[in-house]
Amino acid sequence: MTHKKSFNLLTQSIANPVGYAGFLRPAIVEAAQADPFTGRLLKIADDVFQERYSSPPHPPLHSYTPSIPPPPVLGILRHDYMLHTDKTCKQVEVNTIASSFGCLSTSVTSVHHAAYLSDPGCSVAPNKALHQVSSGVCEAVRSSGGGVCVMVVQEGEKNSIDQNMIIVECAKRGVKVVRMSMDVIGEQIGEVKMGEDAKVEVEGKMERVGLFYFRAGYQPQDYKTENDWNTRLLMERSSASKCPDVFYHLAGAKKVQQMLAPPGVVEGLCGLKGVDELFAGLYGLGHEGDEDVIQMALDNPMDYVLKPQREGGGNNLYKDRMVAKLKEMTREERKGYILMELIKPPKFQNQLIRNGEVVHDGTCTLEVGVFGVSLYTADGVDEMEGVEGMGEDAYICRAKAEGVEEGGVAAGFAFLSSVQLV
């Protein structure tokens, strides 16, 4: 879990104005041309950039002067890892938006800790995810000038318990968090110009928004109408902090992960050494000469996974589905995907429980997601540095039955677990 600060810094370095113009936008622009959803996000990012800096995002500028200083950006990142067959730790992905289940994972860890108190041979790793996420939310609201936190959620949200734990914890610290869907927010905030306050109705009166915390907005179905897209733009313009803003959101794209992976790229961007060792094999598609990469996957379909620019689980293509997709796509369509070496984690025996019943008793695999919370100001200062408890472990541990390819808990693929210290 030692790399979480490194990825906080890396994300900030490519999502700040110089990083967006010089690396992030060029890295993702072809994928945005092939994928309409990513294209809409990129359009919002370009519009916000133009309005804020009175300049298009064209490198090689070394600085941009905003017309109105942007609010701090809250990063609640989750870096997901698996052990590979060679016993090295490899990154599955980085989640920059709606990084979830940290709060429920904290509770699961507490249960496991209590269950093994009498066993001196078993030590469960502490988990401070709830504390760190809630601390970040509260600090972001205060840093942007106060108000309420609006948690942007999906209609019919299935993961409300994890979200409500944050609401309760923030209330203890004097910060009100309200859950609203995109369409409700759009009905209330009105027209917002760059740097202006956004306001929503809370308990019968209009309140300033100090933070828009996105637990939705990461998939096309979250934007049902053009009004929803316009609402996202209005939120980005506002004086409220965002978690994440659109630049951090784009920084979590699969294409960006692939562009960061070659040796020396991360070090060149922010001076960090050794991070590229965490990346599995990652390959771009849609460029001249990508036939060799495609043939490699077709010849070895058990060793690769095809990934679109999507979050939320259930989107990746494996084995026969990967082969069929690679064969049917045009070169232009392939630009919206990356190919990744399939991480093959060690197996262990475990029981998986749902609704009090054992639904799997046998071979499992494990994935660990490490939370990193940051609050970067426009001048590159992380306001979470020095906040109590931020340096401790915060994680989500997911177990799943052997052969299950996806890792989503809410989607029903994986089960929450804990890390045992050895």
Side-chain angles (χ1 to χ4, degrees):
M1 302 189 188
T2 57
H3 286 284
K4 69 178 183 178
K5 284 189 177 181
S6 297
F7 278 100
N8 288 348
L9 175 61
L10 174 59
T11 304
Q12 193 274 337
S13 71
I14 65 174
N16 67 33
V18 174
Y20 176 70
F23 176 82
L24 178 54
R25 191 182 191 283
I28 203 172
V29 65
E30 287 193 349
Q33 292 167 356
D35 176 51
F37 177 68
T38 306
R40 292 300 298 263
L41 292 173
L42 187 66
K43 175 66 165 57
I44 289 175
D46 282 350
D47 289 347
V48 170
F49 195 103
Q50 177 71 49
E51 291 181 31
R52 181 173 288 159
Y53 299 103
S54 301
S55 168
H58 294 321
L61 295 180
H62 296 289
S63 64
Y64 292 88
T65 302
S67 55
I68 299 173
V73 179
L74 176 61
I76 299 178
L77 312 183
R78 199 186 75 218
H79 326 284
D80 294 341
Y81 300 95
M82 283 182 170
L83 281 178
H84 199 25
T85 49
D86 59 2
K87 304 302 181 184
T88 59
C89 185
K90 295 298 182 183
Q91 185 186 84
V92 179
E93 63 180 354
V94 175
N95 299 276
T96 61
I97 183 170
S99 304
S100 62
F101 280 102
C103 305
L104 284 172
S105 293
T106 301
S107 296
V108 169
T109 300
S110 297
V111 170
H112 288 158
H113 176 73
Y116 287 100
L117 278 176
S118 60
D119 184 353
C122 181
S123 178
V124 178
N127 190 349
K128 297 294 184 182
L130 174 58
H131 169 78
Q132 292 184 12
V133 170
S134 301
S135 295
V137 169
C138 293
E139 290 295 327
V141 170
R142 291 165 183 151
S143 182
S144 73
V148 300
C149 167
V150 172
M151 185 183 290
V152 186
V153 300
Q154 297 169 338
E155 295 180 5
E157 175 65 65
K158 297 178 180 179
N159 195 17
S160 59
I161 296 176
D162 188 70
Q163 298 168 1
N164 286 334
M165 293 176 72
I166 299 172
I167 294 174
V168 172
E169 190 65 24
C170 289
K172 296 176 183 177
R173 309 179 190 200
V175 173
K176 179 176 282 295
V177 180
V178 294
R179 299 170 72 251
M180 290 186 176
S181 60
M182 195 83 74
D183 59 332
V184 172
I185 296 169
E187 292 170 358
Q188 296 189 13
I189 65 173
E191 193 64 31
V192 180
K193 295 181 180 179
M194 182 60 65
E196 291 184 347
D197 290 346
K199 295 184 178 181
V200 296
E201 184 176 343
V202 179
E203 296 176 355
K205 63 178 181 178
M206 300 303 288
E207 296 274 5
R208 177 187 183 272
V209 180
L211 170 67
F212 284 110
Y213 175 21
F214 288 92
R215 295 294 292 258
Y218 54 84
Q219 54 189 358
Q221 51 265 43
D222 291 337
Y223 302 86
K224 296 182 176 62
T225 66
E226 283 299 311
N227 286 338
D228 291 338
W229 282 110
N230 185 59
T231 298
R232 178 68 188 264
L233 175 60
L234 296 177
M235 289 189 280
E236 295 291 339
R237 284 174 174 167
S238 77
S239 63
S241 292
K242 267 72 70 175
C243 179
D245 68 2
V246 68
F247 305 103
Y248 264 61
H249 185 168
L250 288 170
K254 305 298 187 293
K255 181 62 181 178
V256 176
Q257 183 188 21
Q258 178 253 313
M259 294 293 284
L260 287 169
V265 172
V266 172
E267 184 177 356
L269 286 168
C270 58
L272 293 170
K273 297 182 179 181
V275 172
D276 47 20
E277 297 175 359
L278 297 170
F279 295 118
L282 293 158
Y283 307 90
L285 297 171
H287 54 81
E288 192 74 29
D290 72 344
E291 291 83 3
D292 289 344
V293 173
I294 294 171
Q295 193 60 51
M296 178 179 66
L298 295 178
D299 290 344
N300 304 278
M302 304 297 288
D303 295 334
Y304 296 94
V305 53
L306 186 65
K307 291 188 171 186
Q309 313 304 311
R310 290 290 181 275
E311 303 296 335
N315 299 298
N316 298 333
L317 300 174
Y318 300 82
K319 302 171 186 175
D320 291 345
R321 293 178 64 210
M322 177 191 70
V323 169
K325 191 69 174 179
L326 285 172
K327 287 181 176 180
E328 73 180 34
M329 284 191 294
T330 65
R331 175 171 290 167
E332 190 65 26
E333 290 171 333
R334 293 199 296 268
K335 292 179 180 179
Y337 291 78
I338 67 164
L339 189 71
M340 180 175 171
E341 175 188 10
L342 188 64
I343 303 171
K344 298 179 180 180
K347 302 165 185 174
F348 65 101
Q349 299 300 305
N350 202 3
Q351 291 184 331
L352 303 180
I353 301 172
R354 179 184 288 127
N355 297 329
E357 296 184 5
V358 176
V359 295
H360 177 79
D361 188 354
T363 306
C364 297
T365 59
L366 198 67
E367 181 176 344
V368 175
V370 179
F371 284 90
V373 179
S374 63
L375 183 63
Y376 278 101
T377 61
D379 55 4
V381 175
D382 183 3
E383 296 192 343
M384 297 308 295
E385 287 287 343
V387 174
E388 182 181 358
M390 299 310 295
E392 300 182 51
D393 293 339
Y395 64 89
I396 170 178
C397 182
R398 289 173 289 181
K400 58 185 181 181
E402 180 185 13
V404 174
E405 294 161 339
E406 295 287 350
V409 176
F413 299 111
F415 295 72
L416 295 178
S417 189
S418 298
V419 173
Q420 180 180 352
L421 299 175
V422 295

